[in-house]
Amino acid sequence: MRFSHLVVEARDTHKWSLTEDFVLFDRCIKPRWFELGLKGDLGVSKEPFILVERGFITDFGTIPRMFWSFCSPVDIAFAAVIHDRMYQIVNNSDIKFDEKRILRKEADDVFLDALAVQPGGVPWFRSFVCWVCLRAFGWTYVNIPSVEQIKKMMKEIIPTRLRPCRA
């Protein structure tokens, strides 16, 4: 597993925009991701890769400033860009709540694997702590259903005959 060069420009406070396409090579993920809009190649005929296109905006990891001495967003930037793109795909997809949970776990695992090969190196203990925090708090970015999704879920859960009649 390896990365291409990460080239960004500052946008706002703690927001960066990719000025070149960014690639994580040699990472096979499930085809479902590509159906949902992730760019890349499964590597049938060549090296597999995940692509994040130029113009994508990232924060390099939503880490509270008081923890930056342990792990700053710059420390995990390469892995965070891929992870942020995967979370964005999950959030923008019209999929069921349970499937979002599964995809979130897969994205978090890609993040952990990517930390292991990030340029500059991230020590295993720091990588593990980052992954644990991501698993503990990442749900706030993915699993919160919108009002429309809640209404849709309620229609699926409540049988028609139990719904109140509207006069």
Side-chain angles (χ1 to χ4, degrees), residues 8-125:
V8 297
E9 67 180 7
R11 288 294 223 166
D12 295 322
T13 305
H14 307 297
K15 296 284 183 188
W16 291 267
S17 175
L18 272 63
T19 57
E20 293 181 13
D21 289 346
F22 179 64
V23 181
L24 170 62
F25 292 98
D26 193 29
R27 173 64 186 167
C28 291
I29 63 170
K30 296 182 179 170
R32 177 76 171 132
W33 282 98
F34 298 104
E35 294 168 11
L36 293 172
L38 185 66
K39 305 280 189 215
D41 188 301
L42 290 172
V44 176
S45 61
K46 57 185 175 190
E47 187 176 29
F49 67 90
I50 299 171
L51 170 73
V52 180
E53 295 175 311
R54 178 178 29 159
F56 180 74
I57 296 175
T58 181
D59 65 355
F60 289 151
T62 310
I63 300 171
R65 192 167 186 86
M66 67 180 155
F67 298 115
W68 283 13
S69 62
F70 178 74
C71 183
S72 77
V74 174
D75 295 336
I76 61 169
F78 285 70
V81 169
I82 297 291
H83 186 263
D84 286 355
R85 177 65 180 127
M86 293 176 84
Y87 264 30
Q88 181 188 55
I89 286 171
V90 173
N91 282 331
N92 292 339
S93 299
D94 186 28
I95 55 179
K96 291 188 177 194
F97 183 71
D98 288 340
E99 190 173 353
K100 281 188 176 191
R101 289 179 47 222
I102 293 166
L103 291 172
R104 180 182 154 241
K105 169 76 166 81
E106 290 175 13
D108 294 351
D109 290 345
V110 168
F111 174 78
L112 181 62
D113 291 346
L115 284 175
V117 297
Q118 178 160 309
V122 179
W124 71 268
F125 180 73

